[in-house]
Amino acid sequence: MPSKPIKKTIGVMTSGGDAQGMNAAIRAAVRGALIRECDVYAIYEGYTGMVDNLIKPVQWESVSSIMQHGGTAIGTARCQRFRQFSGRLRAAENLLKYGIDNLIVIGGDGSLSGADVFAQEWPQIIDELFKQGKISALKRKRHPELRIVGIVGSIDNDMANTDMTLGADSALHRITGAIDALSSTAHSHQRVFVVEVMGRNCGYLASMSAIATGASYAFIPESPPPDNWGQTLCRQLRTARKAGRRDSIIIVAEGATDRRGNPISSSRVKEVLDQNMGMESRLTILGHVQRGGAPSAFDRYLGTASGVAAVSELLKNDGESRIIVMKDNRIKAVSLRETVAKTHAVAEAVKNCDFKQAMALRGSGIMNSVLETLSLPGAPGRGCAGKQRTLALITCGWPAPGMNNALRTAVRLGLAQGCRMLGIKQGAEGLINNDVHEFGWMDVEEWVASGGSKLGANRTIPNEEEFKTVAATVKKHKIDGLLMIGGWTAYIIAERIDRMGEIYPELDIPVVCVPASINNNLPGSELAIGADTALNTIVEAVDKIKNSADTSRRVFMVEVMGRYCGYLALMSGLATGAEYIYLHEQGIDLKLLQEQLKKLTRGFKKEGRDIGLLIRNEKASEAYTMDFIAQLFDAESGGLFDVRKTILGPMQQGGDPTPFDRIQGTRLAYDGMLQLFEKLKSGDKTSAFIGFCGSKSSVYPMRELGSMVSRTHQRPSGQWWESLVNIATGLAIKPNI
Ligand code: F6P
């Protein structure tokens, strides 16, 4: 018989600067560990709490209702004493009082480097504690090593081996919100604003917020400006002013330097502008606002998935300390030591002014060259393969937030390449009715932050007869290629155009589809433009709904969009702590509902629960409708709770796009246009769709569409997020522990 694994004792702590999403990680680590029958302790106030013995056992309820809040519920600090060996000695002595030799450390680069040193020194530390008579021989024998799993919590997004760190997405929400607000006053006064953002020596927040707000320039540590940056900047601003831009936003990363490593401060940038532009600029230092406020949906997901993965890593028992990272949209564990070393290598490269190396080590996160194309009306390029081409843009399906930034990117990239850029109004109706307009550089200037589609979009799919007039429109405007930004409708139209080329030679042109749908139901792309905004809208609404019940015993049932794709339901359920999530992919039956009802009532009766949350996808089941489930639970609750229903409706499609959707709009439109250029150069007239799987962009021939989707349910055949259902509800329902 296999021996029962020894029960682990795990300490959970947060350290260094706080970051939004830390609470989701704490909740998931604590509950994940309790589910796996571990003893769990919270170490309060970071390493200070370890040195001063602020360590307390935690239970399931200790981490209730914390996920939606910013900061960290268990406190954090930057502790000098832990940097000394004597401090680490006391910290270890305190940990051993509770038998803790497994740690989940949620923190930034400094905190995780400290953890790595601590784990390496552990054998020496326990020998010393034994020598000093502070621990017994048995204790020394029982705890020969300290296992550490790190979760990167830092708004800076400066850790190697991971695409995102906890808090970076929420910080981008704060920054884009602030810059959107500044833009309107800057626009009214035709002013230049210099905005300083955080990030230490990492330019991620500066670079990404510049893309997401349509800023004119970003100073970042990894890619310093040329020596004559003052002149260059002023020249660029003047050129854009001449083209018609009214407001200019310059973003300065707090760690920005020149090519010799001398700091370029935001106040210096303002000074240079004031002296050379003949106008007074304004300076805004965003400061700690960036680290505050509610975590975004993504940070709640990242925290939750990382917390669960951290526990699994600790239970593997293979000795090496690990760090949980997100690479290509997947949660993974990698070596803590190697990651810390690689992170320090970037900082070293920046310090040594080896900027090429710094950019290479940072990976794909920094997009400064893209920013230049989007913000500068330059001399147009020579076209594709030496010829001026005409490219048309169209949005089809329901509008998705972020579409406008995708259009802006495509227009400006096309113009920079010397193409004539056309916009087709009202989706396919514009093709049928010849509603086509030519774009100038300034036409898309203010599109970066607005929701919906400025071109108009709908679900019209031309019929056989109408394709004749579609072909006439394409011929009339001499369209060489088409970029379609949209949802399922766009893909079906593109597929038909691909076939119609055999009947109408005018339609024998390349079409590239860019995924944009709040449903996130498109093949070849794990995240479509618009889904993140819808998700955040749902999460904010559910936070408010839950809040409204602070004093009553109530179960809320919220129905969300997505058609037959459960992405929005699942991810919003995960990010708001829903007890049950109903998806079409999983189905609903009476037995399931009876079991759920039993567990829910037990929670209200025996565990002091006073609120419950159920999230249902709009097409989860034809038989078990929202009304049916709500009435069943209400009637069978035995008076323990009542059930309130909310259908969120079209608000999920509206609103300003989130930073992620703006950035995703830029990335995807940029790649879509590059595909079109390639096709025009090579003479390839087949259609395709593109997408991002993690940070990698891929392209698929349109003829493969059928093999990658379920046409009946209009969703991809396999969906990456489906396995998250168990994590989501597993952490919300207390097991019998
Ligand atoms: O590392 C996170 C961070 O917010 C940096 O972006 C910033 O430089 C620093 O922490 C600010 O630290 P403190 O909160 O200690 O002032």
Side-chain angles (χ1 to χ4, degrees):
M1 213 175 102
S3 59
K4 212 176 164 204
I6 300 171
K7 201 170 180 180
K8 299 246 180 194
T9 305
I10 299 179
V12 178
M13 64 182 283
T14 49
S15 170
D18 62 345
Q20 305 95 328
M22 280 183 163
N23 283 330
I26 296 168
R27 172 181 178 267
V30 167
R31 291 191 172 175
L34 290 171
I35 292 169
R36 311 279 292 262
E37 298 183 9
C38 302
D39 287 330
V40 195
Y41 290 82
I43 301 163
Y44 289 83
E45 319 303 343
Y47 289 116
T48 306
M50 218 189 259
V51 177
D52 291 340
N53 192 7
L54 307 173
I55 302 173
K56 287 188 197 140
V58 277
Q59 285 82 35
W60 188 268
E61 294 74 18
S62 318
V63 290
S64 286
S65 300
I66 63 169
M67 184 167 45
Q68 64 274 34
H69 299 297
T72 157
I74 56 177
T76 184
R78 302 196 196 275
C79 176
Q80 288 306 321
R81 281 177 296 154
F82 190 75
R83 289 171 188 257
Q84 315 299 324
F85 185 73
S86 56
R88 295 197 285 276
L89 209 59
R90 280 190 60 182
E93 186 188 347
N94 287 330
L95 289 182
L96 289 177
K97 283 180 189 155
Y98 306 91
I100 300 171
D101 54 11
N102 288 278
L103 277 184
I104 296 179
V105 181
I106 307 163
D109 169 25
S111 308
L112 297 176
S113 305
D116 186 38
V117 170
F118 195 34
Q120 285 184 58
E121 267 179 5
W122 185 261
Q124 192 191 335
I125 288 176
I126 52 167
D127 281 353
E128 184 60 31
L129 287 174
F130 175 68
K131 234 192 271 162
Q132 292 182 12
K134 297 213 165 120
I135 58 169
S136 66
L138 184 63
K139 210 152 221 181
R140 177 167 72 159
K141 192 165 166 236
R142 278 203 176 146
H143 304 282
E145 62 177 22
L146 175 70
R147 287 286 321 280
I148 293 193
V149 175
I151 294 174
V152 204
S154 167
I155 64 164
D156 302 340
N157 204 22
D158 57 351
M159 187 63 95
N161 289 343
T162 187
D163 293 333
M164 281 304 266
T165 58
L166 266 185
D169 183 61
S170 304
L172 275 179
H173 276 249
R174 300 296 98 78
I175 298 170
T176 43
I179 295 180
D180 285 353
L182 286 176
S183 294
S184 62
T185 169
H187 190 267
S188 312
H189 290 262
Q190 301 197 55
R191 264 186 187 146
V192 181
F193 268 81
V194 178
V195 182
E196 180 182 304
V197 301
M198 282 185 165
R200 283 187 199 277
N201 63 12
C202 179
Y204 178 85
L205 291 177
S207 165
M208 289 299 143
S209 58
I211 294 282
T213 58
S216 300
Y217 201 92
F219 286 90
I220 62 166
E222 298 85 347
S223 174
D227 282 344
N228 58 346
W229 61 265
Q231 285 160 320
T232 315
L233 176 60
C234 292
R235 195 177 52 244
Q236 293 188 359
L237 293 184
R238 279 196 202 98
T239 311
R241 282 289 156 116
K242 235 185 242 160
R245 176 178 288 156
R246 288 178 62 85
D247 59 311
S248 310
I249 306 284
I250 316 293
I251 301 186
V252 185
E254 61 178 357
T257 66
D258 65 18
R259 303 203 78 80
R260 272 173 288 281
N262 305 308
I264 297 182
S265 66
S266 51
S267 51
R268 176 74 192 126
V269 174
K270 175 181 163 30
E271 228 171 73
V272 169
L273 291 171
D274 289 349
Q275 283 161 9
N276 296 294
M277 283 295 284
M279 60 170 82
E280 218 185 313
S281 60
R282 293 284 187 272
L283 171 62
T284 303
I285 299 176
L286 291 181
H288 287 79
V289 158
Q290 295 161 87
R291 261 182 17 206
S296 64
F298 174 80
D299 278 328
R300 299 183 198 195
Y301 156 61
L302 182 60
T304 302
S306 303
V308 170
V311 174
S312 298
E313 272 310 305
L314 281 180
L315 295 182
K316 273 190 193 154
N317 227 353
D318 68 352
E320 205 197 341
S321 291
R322 300 287 169 115
I323 187 167
I324 305 299
V325 297
M326 172 175 267
K327 202 74 202 147
D328 295 330
N329 206 25
R330 295 291 180 280
I331 299 290
K332 287 185 187 158
V334 295
S335 156
L336 174 61
R337 200 151 308 158
E338 192 260 336
T339 305
V340 164
K342 211 165 153 190
T343 305
H344 291 169
V346 190
E348 238 355 71
V350 172
K351 207 166 122 211
N352 297 333
C353 301
D354 186 353
F355 302 113
K356 212 165 147 205
Q357 170 75 348
M359 279 301 259
L361 288 169
R362 279 280 186 244
S364 59
I366 308 280
M367 292 164 76
N368 256 29
S369 56
V370 177
L371 179 64
E372 197 173 319
T373 311
L374 299 185
S375 63
L376 253 190
R382 276 172 288 132
C384 294
K387 245 174 139 182
Q388 195 199 37
R389 309 286 187 145
T390 300
L391 300 181
L393 308 176
I394 182 169
T395 51
C396 299
W398 293 130
M403 272 181 169
N404 288 326
N405 196 30
L407 288 168
R408 179 179 183 269
T409 303
V411 167
R412 292 199 166 168
L413 181 58
L415 293 175
Q417 282 288 316
C419 301
R420 239 178 100 231
M421 296 301 298
L422 304 180
I424 295 166
K425 298 264 182 132
Q426 305 304 336
E429 284 172 18
L431 279 175
I432 300 166
N433 304 325
N434 185 24
D435 195 357
V436 181
H437 299 259
E438 185 166 350
F439 279 117
W441 195 83
M442 271 306 289
D443 293 339
V444 291
E445 171 69 4
E446 279 149 41
W447 289 21
V448 71
S450 51
S453 165
K454 296 273 189 189
L455 279 181
N458 55 49
R459 292 172 71 190
T460 303
I461 298 176
N463 60 31
E464 297 281 314
E465 194 51 30
E466 286 165 335
F467 265 105
K468 208 190 282 177
T469 55
V470 170
T473 304
V474 170
K475 186 174 177 191
K476 179 165 194 276
H477 297 279
K478 299 192 175 77
I479 295 172
D480 295 306
L482 192 57
L483 191 77
M484 281 199 154
I485 302 168
W488 193 262
T489 308
Y491 285 60
I492 299 304
I493 298 172
E495 199 182 32
R496 297 213 179 143
I497 293 179
D498 203 32
R499 295 206 183 110
M500 287 290 172
E502 285 161 21
I503 305 172
Y504 304 105
E506 300 83 355
L507 293 184
D508 193 17
I509 54 168
V511 180
V512 172
C513 274
V514 168
S517 163
I518 67 159
N519 299 341
N520 201 27
N521 61 340
L522 298 163
S525 198
E526 296 192 334
L527 289 162
I529 299 165
D532 186 62
T533 308
L535 185 56
N536 277 284
T537 303
I538 297 169
V539 167
E540 276 169 34
V542 174
D543 281 354
K544 286 184 190 149
I545 290 170
K546 281 178 83 175
N547 236 339
S548 74
D550 267 356
T551 53
S552 53
R553 291 160 73 78
R554 195 157 276 173
V555 169
F556 290 103
M557 184 155 191
V558 181
E559 185 174 287
V560 304
M561 285 180 164
R563 295 186 64 77
Y564 288 97
C565 173
Y567 176 80
L568 289 178
L570 171 69
M571 292 308 254
S572 60
L574 187 147
T576 53
E579 277 75 21
Y580 296 116
I581 302 168
Y582 302 105
L583 311 175
H584 184 267
E585 288 86 346
Q586 298 219 309
I588 308 176
D589 62 32
L590 201 51
K591 196 163 153 251
L592 177 84
L593 293 176
Q594 279 168 335
E595 266 169 35
Q596 292 179 343
L597 186 58
K598 209 163 103 195
K599 283 193 190 161
L600 210 55
T601 37
R602 189 191 67 199
F604 276 85
K605 203 189 237 161
K606 304 213 171 124
E607 290 153 14
R609 169 183 292 282
D610 51 21
I611 184 167
L613 177 65
L614 316 173
I615 305 254
R616 183 182 183 280
N617 159 272
E618 59 183 353
K619 300 258 184 210
S621 160
E622 263 180 44
Y624 298 102
T625 60
M626 166 129 137
D627 284 344
F628 178 91
I629 300 174
Q631 274 163 23
L632 176 76
F633 280 29
D634 200 74
E636 297 292 323
S637 77
L640 283 168
F641 55 81
D642 58 6
V643 182
R644 291 290 157 100
K645 299 170 290 181
T646 308
I647 298 177
L648 291 183
M651 69 184 282
Q652 296 161 83
Q653 290 175 312
D656 295 346
T658 56
F660 179 84
D661 277 333
R662 300 182 197 190
I663 294 162
Q664 191 76 336
T666 296
R667 279 198 179 126
L668 284 165
Y670 200 90
D671 281 10
M673 288 293 283
L674 293 187
Q675 271 309 314
L676 269 184
F677 298 153
E678 277 303 311
K679 282 181 181 288
L680 292 174
K681 269 186 213 152
S682 65
D684 170 9
K685 293 185 174 166
T686 60
S687 298
F689 52 96
I690 62 157
F692 268 97
C693 292
S695 54
K696 287 188 204 110
S697 124
S698 309
V699 52
Y700 306 85
M702 192 52 80
R703 287 176 192 217
E704 279 179 19
L705 180 71
S707 64
M708 291 173 72
V709 296
S710 147
R711 287 198 194 258
T712 328
H713 296 122
Q714 301 190 349
R715 64 184 183 221
S717 312
Q719 301 182 100
W720 64 272
W721 46 264
E722 281 180 42
S723 61
L724 298 173
V725 178
N726 294 341
I727 294 187
T729 51
L731 294 177
I733 295 274
K734 186 177 177 179
N736 293 323
I737 46 179

PDB file of all heavy atoms in Angstrom, residues 193-212:
ATOM      1  N   PHE A 193       1.223  67.260 -22.799  1.00  0.00           N
ATOM      2  CA  PHE A 193       1.299  66.743 -21.433  1.00  0.00           C
ATOM      3  C   PHE A 193       2.437  65.742 -21.337  1.00  0.00           C
ATOM      4  O   PHE A 193       2.550  64.838 -22.169  1.00  0.00           O
ATOM      5  CB  PHE A 193      -0.009  66.049 -21.034  1.00  0.00           C
ATOM      6  CG  PHE A 193      -0.985  66.968 -20.363  1.00  0.00           C
ATOM      7  CD1 PHE A 193      -1.777  67.817 -21.121  1.00  0.00           C
ATOM      8  CD2 PHE A 193      -1.121  66.983 -18.987  1.00  0.00           C
ATOM      9  CE1 PHE A 193      -2.683  68.684 -20.513  1.00  0.00           C
ATOM     10  CE2 PHE A 193      -2.028  67.843 -18.363  1.00  0.00           C
ATOM     11  CZ  PHE A 193      -2.809  68.696 -19.125  1.00  0.00           C
ATOM     12  N   VAL A 194       3.244  65.903 -20.306  1.00  0.00           N
ATOM     13  CA  VAL A 194       4.276  64.903 -20.016  1.00  0.00           C
ATOM     14  C   VAL A 194       3.744  64.070 -18.850  1.00  0.00           C
ATOM     15  O   VAL A 194       3.314  64.625 -17.834  1.00  0.00           O
ATOM     16  CB  VAL A 194       5.606  65.593 -19.619  1.00  0.00           C
ATOM     17  CG1 VAL A 194       6.661  64.552 -19.276  1.00  0.00           C
ATOM     18  CG2 VAL A 194       6.078  66.507 -20.742  1.00  0.00           C
ATOM     19  N   VAL A 195       3.729  62.757 -19.016  1.00  0.00           N
ATOM     20  CA  VAL A 195       3.174  61.900 -17.970  1.00  0.00           C
ATOM     21  C   VAL A 195       4.243  60.902 -17.524  1.00  0.00           C
ATOM     22  O   VAL A 195       4.795  60.165 -18.344  1.00  0.00           O
ATOM     23  CB  VAL A 195       1.941  61.118 -18.495  1.00  0.00           C
ATOM     24  CG1 VAL A 195       1.336  60.254 -17.390  1.00  0.00           C
ATOM     25  CG2 VAL A 195       0.898  62.065 -19.055  1.00  0.00           C
ATOM     26  N   GLU A 196       4.531  60.921 -16.218  1.00  0.00           N
ATOM     27  CA  GLU A 196       5.531  59.965 -15.710  1.00  0.00           C
ATOM     28  C   GLU A 196       4.829  58.738 -15.145  1.00  0.00           C
ATOM     29  O   GLU A 196       3.898  58.857 -14.354  1.00  0.00           O
ATOM     30  CB  GLU A 196       6.379  60.621 -14.617  1.00  0.00           C
ATOM     31  CG  GLU A 196       7.431  59.667 -14.073  1.00  0.00           C
ATOM     32  CD  GLU A 196       8.252  60.264 -12.950  1.00  0.00           C
ATOM     33  OE1 GLU A 196       8.859  61.334 -13.142  1.00  0.00           O
ATOM     34  OE2 GLU A 196       8.278  59.646 -11.866  1.00  0.00           O
ATOM     35  N   VAL A 197       5.290  57.575 -15.562  1.00  0.00           N
ATOM     36  CA  VAL A 197       4.704  56.330 -15.049  1.00  0.00           C
ATOM     37  C   VAL A 197       5.770  55.519 -14.321  1.00  0.00           C
ATOM     38  O   VAL A 197       6.966  55.713 -14.522  1.00  0.00           O
ATOM     39  CB  VAL A 197       4.061  55.478 -16.174  1.00  0.00           C
ATOM     40  CG1 VAL A 197       2.977  56.251 -16.886  1.00  0.00           C
ATOM     41  CG2 VAL A 197       5.092  54.982 -17.169  1.00  0.00           C
ATOM     42  N   MET A 198       5.302  54.582 -13.492  1.00  0.00           N
ATOM     43  CA  MET A 198       6.227  53.746 -12.709  1.00  0.00           C
ATOM     44  C   MET A 198       6.847  52.653 -13.571  1.00  0.00           C
ATOM     45  O   MET A 198       6.622  52.591 -14.774  1.00  0.00           O
ATOM     46  CB  MET A 198       5.474  53.129 -11.539  1.00  0.00           C
ATOM     47  CG  MET A 198       5.251  54.063 -10.381  1.00  0.00           C
ATOM     48  SD  MET A 198       4.479  53.164  -9.017  1.00  0.00           S
ATOM     49  CE  MET A 198       4.726  54.306  -7.672  1.00  0.00           C
ATOM     50  N   GLY A 199       7.564  51.748 -12.930  1.00  0.00           N
ATOM     51  CA  GLY A 199       8.138  50.607 -13.645  1.00  0.00           C
ATOM     52  C   GLY A 199       9.591  50.339 -13.298  1.00  0.00           C
ATOM     53  O   GLY A 199      10.212  49.459 -13.870  1.00  0.00           O
ATOM     54  N   ARG A 200      10.149  51.122 -12.368  1.00  0.00           N
ATOM     55  CA  ARG A 200      11.596  51.023 -12.048  1.00  0.00           C
ATOM     56  C   ARG A 200      12.417  51.069 -13.328  1.00  0.00           C
ATOM     57  O   ARG A 200      12.225  51.966 -14.128  1.00  0.00           O
ATOM     58  CB  ARG A 200      11.904  49.745 -11.275  1.00  0.00           C
ATOM     59  CG  ARG A 200      11.515  49.820  -9.851  1.00  0.00           C
ATOM     60  CD  ARG A 200      12.008  48.603  -9.101  1.00  0.00           C
ATOM     61  NE  ARG A 200      11.271  48.449  -7.877  1.00  0.00           N
ATOM     62  CZ  ARG A 200      11.567  49.097  -6.753  1.00  0.00           C
ATOM     63  NH1 ARG A 200      12.595  49.903  -6.713  1.00  0.00           N
ATOM     64  NH2 ARG A 200      10.833  48.938  -5.667  1.00  0.00           N
ATOM     65  N   ASN A 201      13.251  50.022 -13.571  1.00  0.00           N
ATOM     66  CA  ASN A 201      14.048  50.103 -14.798  1.00  0.00           C
ATOM     67  C   ASN A 201      13.432  49.308 -15.954  1.00  0.00           C
ATOM     68  O   ASN A 201      14.109  48.896 -16.878  1.00  0.00           O
ATOM     69  CB  ASN A 201      15.506  49.688 -14.556  1.00  0.00           C
ATOM     70  CG  ASN A 201      15.598  48.244 -14.130  1.00  0.00           C
ATOM     71  OD1 ASN A 201      14.615  47.511 -14.230  1.00  0.00           O
ATOM     72  ND2 ASN A 201      16.749  47.815 -13.670  1.00  0.00           N
ATOM     73  N   CYS A 202      12.117  49.129 -15.884  1.00  0.00           N
ATOM     74  CA  CYS A 202      11.438  48.413 -16.968  1.00  0.00           C
ATOM     75  C   CYS A 202      10.480  49.368 -17.693  1.00  0.00           C
ATOM     76  O   CYS A 202       9.708  50.091 -17.056  1.00  0.00           O
ATOM     77  CB  CYS A 202      10.665  47.226 -16.406  1.00  0.00           C
ATOM     78  SG  CYS A 202       9.785  46.317 -17.681  1.00  0.00           S
ATOM     79  N   GLY A 203      10.504  49.325 -19.001  1.00  0.00           N
ATOM     80  CA  GLY A 203       9.690  50.263 -19.784  1.00  0.00           C
ATOM     81  C   GLY A 203       8.341  49.716 -20.203  1.00  0.00           C
ATOM     82  O   GLY A 203       7.636  50.346 -20.999  1.00  0.00           O
ATOM     83  N   TYR A 204       7.947  48.560 -19.637  1.00  0.00           N
ATOM     84  CA  TYR A 204       6.697  47.937 -20.092  1.00  0.00           C
ATOM     85  C   TYR A 204       5.495  48.870 -19.933  1.00  0.00           C
ATOM     86  O   TYR A 204       4.737  49.091 -20.884  1.00  0.00           O
ATOM     87  CB  TYR A 204       6.471  46.617 -19.336  1.00  0.00           C
ATOM     88  CG  TYR A 204       5.186  45.951 -19.724  1.00  0.00           C
ATOM     89  CD1 TYR A 204       5.124  45.122 -20.831  1.00  0.00           C
ATOM     90  CD2 TYR A 204       4.014  46.180 -19.002  1.00  0.00           C
ATOM     91  CE1 TYR A 204       3.929  44.532 -21.217  1.00  0.00           C
ATOM     92  CE2 TYR A 204       2.820  45.597 -19.379  1.00  0.00           C
ATOM     93  CZ  TYR A 204       2.783  44.777 -20.481  1.00  0.00           C
ATOM     94  OH  TYR A 204       1.596  44.204 -20.858  1.00  0.00           O
ATOM     95  N   LEU A 205       5.312  49.404 -18.733  1.00  0.00           N
ATOM     96  CA  LEU A 205       4.117  50.241 -18.500  1.00  0.00           C
ATOM     97  C   LEU A 205       4.131  51.463 -19.419  1.00  0.00           C
ATOM     98  O   LEU A 205       3.088  51.847 -19.971  1.00  0.00           O
ATOM     99  CB  LEU A 205       4.035  50.685 -17.037  1.00  0.00           C
ATOM    100  CG  LEU A 205       3.736  49.593 -16.006  1.00  0.00           C
ATOM    101  CD1 LEU A 205       3.753  50.167 -14.592  1.00  0.00           C
ATOM    102  CD2 LEU A 205       2.385  48.925 -16.272  1.00  0.00           C
ATOM    103  N   ALA A 206       5.294  52.047 -19.601  1.00  0.00           N
ATOM    104  CA  ALA A 206       5.383  53.248 -20.458  1.00  0.00           C
ATOM    105  C   ALA A 206       5.082  52.885 -21.905  1.00  0.00           C
ATOM    106  O   ALA A 206       4.268  53.536 -22.577  1.00  0.00           O
ATOM    107  CB  ALA A 206       6.766  53.866 -20.334  1.00  0.00           C
ATOM    108  N   SER A 207       5.706  51.837 -22.387  1.00  0.00           N
ATOM    109  CA  SER A 207       5.558  51.472 -23.791  1.00  0.00           C
ATOM    110  C   SER A 207       4.114  51.042 -24.105  1.00  0.00           C
ATOM    111  O   SER A 207       3.511  51.479 -25.091  1.00  0.00           O
ATOM    112  CB  SER A 207       6.549  50.345 -24.083  1.00  0.00           C
ATOM    113  OG  SER A 207       6.262  49.718 -25.269  1.00  0.00           O
ATOM    114  N   MET A 208       3.559  50.215 -23.225  1.00  0.00           N
ATOM    115  CA  MET A 208       2.202  49.711 -23.491  1.00  0.00           C
ATOM    116  C   MET A 208       1.138  50.785 -23.303  1.00  0.00           C
ATOM    117  O   MET A 208       0.149  50.827 -24.033  1.00  0.00           O
ATOM    118  CB  MET A 208       1.895  48.528 -22.565  1.00  0.00           C
ATOM    119  CG  MET A 208       2.665  47.308 -22.923  1.00  0.00           C
ATOM    120  SD  MET A 208       2.245  46.796 -24.600  1.00  0.00           S
ATOM    121  CE  MET A 208       3.780  46.236 -25.172  1.00  0.00           C
ATOM    122  N   SER A 209       1.347  51.652 -22.312  1.00  0.00           N
ATOM    123  CA  SER A 209       0.340  52.698 -22.129  1.00  0.00           C
ATOM    124  C   SER A 209       0.401  53.679 -23.293  1.00  0.00           C
ATOM    125  O   SER A 209      -0.612  54.259 -23.679  1.00  0.00           O
ATOM    126  CB  SER A 209       0.471  53.390 -20.776  1.00  0.00           C
ATOM    127  OG  SER A 209       1.749  53.944 -20.630  1.00  0.00           O
ATOM    128  N   ALA A 210       1.577  53.841 -23.879  1.00  0.00           N
ATOM    129  CA  ALA A 210       1.688  54.734 -25.044  1.00  0.00           C
ATOM    130  C   ALA A 210       0.887  54.158 -26.215  1.00  0.00           C
ATOM    131  O   ALA A 210       0.137  54.871 -26.892  1.00  0.00           O
ATOM    132  CB  ALA A 210       3.152  54.914 -25.429  1.00  0.00           C
ATOM    133  N   ILE A 211       1.016  52.859 -26.424  1.00  0.00           N
ATOM    134  CA  ILE A 211       0.242  52.217 -27.504  1.00  0.00           C
ATOM    135  C   ILE A 211      -1.255  52.336 -27.209  1.00  0.00           C
ATOM    136  O   ILE A 211      -2.074  52.617 -28.084  1.00  0.00           O
ATOM    137  CB  ILE A 211       0.621  50.711 -27.616  1.00  0.00           C
ATOM    138  CG1 ILE A 211       2.072  50.544 -28.071  1.00  0.00           C
ATOM    139  CG2 ILE A 211      -0.348  49.947 -28.511  1.00  0.00           C
ATOM    140  CD1 ILE A 211       2.329  50.747 -29.529  1.00  0.00           C
ATOM    141  N   ALA A 212      -1.602  52.120 -25.938  1.00  0.00           N
ATOM    142  CA  ALA A 212      -3.021  52.060 -25.571  1.00  0.00           C
ATOM    143  C   ALA A 212      -3.687  53.429 -25.516  1.00  0.00           C
ATOM    144  O   ALA A 212      -4.921  53.509 -25.450  1.00  0.00           O
ATOM    145  CB  ALA A 212      -3.178  51.353 -24.223  1.00  0.00           C
TER     146      ALA A 212
END
